[in-house]
Amino acid sequence: MPADASSLIPPALDQLRQQPAASSEEIPDLLERLAEVPDPRDPRGVRHALAAVLALTACAVLAGATSLSAVGEWITDTPAHVLHRLGVRPDPLQPRRSLPSETTVRRLPARVDADALDQAVGRRLADRRPKATGLRALSVDGKSLRGAAKAKGRKIHLLAALDHTTGFVLAQLDVGEKTNEITCFQPLLDTVANLAGGVVTSDALHTQREHAEYLLGRDVHYIAIAKGNQKKLRKQLKSLPWKDIPLQGRTRGAGHGRSEIRRIKVATVNNLPFPGARQAVQIKRRRTDRKTGKTTIKTVYAVTSLTAEQAGPAQLAELIRNHWQVETLHHVRDTTFAEDASQLRTGNAPRAMATWRNLAIGALRAAGVKNIAAGLRHNARNPRRPLALLGLA
C-alpha cells in the first residue's frame, strides 16, 4: 500500500534523526559521482562546477522543492557552510552574486546529459545498497510525466529499474516518442552492474523471448507474466493440470480500499515455448471492495527461469507481489512531489527533476523513513539534513 503522503509518523522522524552520515571511506561521494556528468556549458565564464550545482539541486529536492523556482529559492537561503561543503565559495561582501544564478538553475537541468545524470545517480544508489543476503530482484516498469504533455511539450515516458529490497531506482531511461518500452528494456539494464545471479520482474508487456534470452545471457533470471501478447504461452500455461496440483501458498493483504486473498500453485516445466522456462506459476487473486462488498476473482499465469531449488512457491509469490513496489514509487512522486501536476517541459529538465525525486526517495528510504512527506518536512527545517542523508555532511 502506498505510503501516506500527509500524516506525520514520529518513529520515521526519529529514525531520520539517528541516521549517521555516510563517510567517503564507505561509499563514493555524491560529488564524485556527479563529476562523471559532462558539463554542457562553455568553460569560459563558468563560475560554479556542474557537480556543485547538481548537488545543490539534489539537496533542494530532498528538502521538499517541487519546481525549479523552489530549487532556486532554497539555494538563495542556503548558509555559507553548506555552500562550502558542496564546493561553492560565496564572496563575503556580495554573497548573493556568487551563488548560482536563477538562470543557471533553470538552464542546466534542461541542457544536462540526462542519461549520464541518471547513470551517476543510479550508481550512487547502488553504492548504498546493503550486501545481498538472498536473491536480489529488480522491477522494470514505466511511468509517463503527464504534466509535460499538458504543457504542450513532448510526451515523456520513463522506464526504470527498481530494487525490490531497498526501493532504489538503479537505472532510468527516456522512452522516445518514436519507440516504446520494449526496445528500451535491454539498454536500460545494460547500465546496471552486478545483475548476475539476480532476477528481473516485469509486467506482461516485457514478456518477450528476446528479453528472456538477453537476461539468460547475463546469467540473470526472470519472472514473466503471460497475457494476451503471448497467446500461445498463456494457452499452454492455462492448460496445465492445475486441478491436480495442490495449493502451495495462501496470503492475505489489504490496501486501496480492498482486501485480497492470493492463492499460488507452481509446477515444474521443461517444454514451454519460452527460453529457459523452468517453472509455471498460477496465482488466483480474490479481491473484495470494502465499500461495495463486490468480489472479483482473477487468475494470473507466469513463467520463470528459476528452478524449484532456487525459488519455491512462497518466494515466487513474494517476488511477484513485490514487483508492484514500483507503483508505490510512482504514487509518491505524484502525490508528494506533485510530478504529474508539474508542467516543466524545457529540454531534459522534466527527466532531471524525476531523477532528483528518485534520489530523494532513495536517500530517505535508506535512512529508514517510511513517510516521505514527513521526511521532506523534517529536512526543510535544517539545511544540514539533506547533506547528511546524501553522505555529504
Side-chain angles (χ1 to χ4, degrees):
M1 182 171 67
D4 183 358
S6 59
S7 64
L8 187 64
I9 304 179
L13 297 186
D14 291 340
Q15 289 175 324
L16 180 57
R17 294 187 188 100
Q18 295 168 6
Q19 177 68 11
S23 67
S24 58
E25 290 79 17
E26 295 170 350
I27 54 177
D29 192 279
L30 176 64
L31 291 172
E32 295 174 358
R33 286 300 190 192
L34 294 178
E36 300 169 2
V37 181
D39 195 331
R41 300 171 295 179
D42 187 321
R44 294 174 295 180
V46 170
R47 280 188 165 190
H48 304 289
L50 176 66
V53 180
L54 295 178
L56 280 168
T57 306
C59 289
V61 173
L62 195 44
T66 60
S67 66
L68 291 179
S69 296
V71 169
E73 292 166 2
W74 189 89
I75 292 174
T76 300
D77 293 336
T78 303
H81 64 273
V82 172
L83 295 172
H84 180 82
R85 177 64 187 90
L86 297 180
V88 178
R89 303 293 184 264
D91 185 334
L93 299 179
Q94 296 177 310
R96 292 185 181 275
R97 288 187 58 187
S98 61
L99 290 171
S101 67
E102 181 182 355
T103 302
T104 299
V105 172
R106 286 187 173 277
R107 286 182 178 175
L108 270 183
R111 298 178 58 197
V112 73
D113 184 330
D115 287 334
L117 179 61
D118 264 319
Q119 289 176 30
V121 171
R123 293 187 187 114
R124 167 62 177 173
L125 289 171
D127 293 335
R128 303 195 68 175
R129 288 189 299 176
K131 187 176 180 180
T133 56
L135 190 64
R136 192 180 289 283
L138 284 183
S139 297
V140 174
D141 195 43
K143 180 186 186 300
S144 293
L145 305 185
R146 296 184 180 91
K150 290 177 184 176
K152 298 183 180 180
R154 75 174 183 86
K155 182 179 179 181
I156 299 175
H157 188 82
L158 303 177
L159 186 65
L162 177 138
D163 184 272
H164 280 205
T165 303
T166 61
F168 294 171
V169 176
L170 303 183
Q172 185 171 261
L173 197 64
D174 187 356
V175 178
E177 288 186 295
K178 296 182 180 180
T179 183
N180 56 43
E181 283 190 22
I182 295 174
T183 62
C184 295
F185 183 88
Q186 294 185 27
L188 173 77
L189 294 179
D190 281 341
T191 65
V192 182
N194 303 321
L195 274 180
V199 59
V200 170
T201 63
S202 58
D203 59 21
L205 177 66
H206 294 290
T207 303
Q208 307 287 336
R209 295 179 61 87
E210 295 79 7
H211 292 359
E213 290 169 351
Y214 164 78
L215 292 172
L216 294 172
R218 290 191 63 181
D219 193 25
V220 182
H221 293 287
Y222 64 80
I223 298 177
I225 305 298
K227 288 188 178 179
N229 63 325
Q230 290 287 343
K231 293 181 180 179
K232 185 176 180 180
L233 175 61
R234 179 177 170 80
K235 183 177 179 180
Q236 284 198 305
L237 289 173
K238 192 175 180 179
S239 66
L240 291 173
W242 294 109
K243 291 183 179 179
D244 301 329
I245 299 172
L247 183 66
Q248 294 160 305
R250 185 174 184 271
T251 60
R252 289 179 177 271
H256 303 285
R258 66 194 179 207
S259 59
E260 183 178 78
I261 298 175
R262 308 176 194 89
R263 296 177 173 88
I264 184 170
K265 293 183 179 183
V266 180
T268 298
V269 294
N270 294 306
N271 59 349
L272 288 179
F274 204 75
R278 293 294 176 265
Q279 293 190 86
V281 182
Q282 182 199 68
I283 296 179
K284 284 195 174 183
R285 297 172 178 163
R286 182 186 178 91
R287 290 175 174 171
T288 302
D289 189 297
R290 292 179 174 180
K291 290 184 178 180
T292 65
K294 182 180 179 181
T295 297
T296 58
I297 298 176
K298 183 178 181 180
T299 303
V300 177
Y301 294 99
V303 64
T304 178
S305 60
L306 291 162
T307 65
E309 292 74 23
Q310 292 169 325
Q315 189 170 12
L316 288 173
E318 182 180 11
L319 287 167
I320 293 171
R321 186 169 64 252
N322 286 347
H323 168 75
W324 298 110
Q325 288 187 34
V326 70
E327 295 298 331
T328 301
L329 170 77
H330 298 166
H331 176 82
V332 172
R333 277 171 38 182
D334 284 342
T335 59
T336 304
F337 289 95
E339 183 168 88
D340 278 355
S342 171
Q343 296 194 10
L344 185 66
R345 64 184 184 276
T346 305
N348 290 325
R351 178 179 172 185
M353 287 298 288
T355 303
W356 295 133
R357 292 166 192 139
N358 290 338
L359 177 61
I361 294 168
L364 288 167
R365 284 178 172 164
V369 176
K370 303 298 183 183
N371 187 302
I372 301 300
L376 296 177
R377 293 193 298 270
H378 180 74
N379 291 338
R381 297 194 295 272
N382 187 330
R384 288 179 177 270
R385 290 170 181 165
L387 269 70
L389 285 170
L390 295 174
L392 296 172

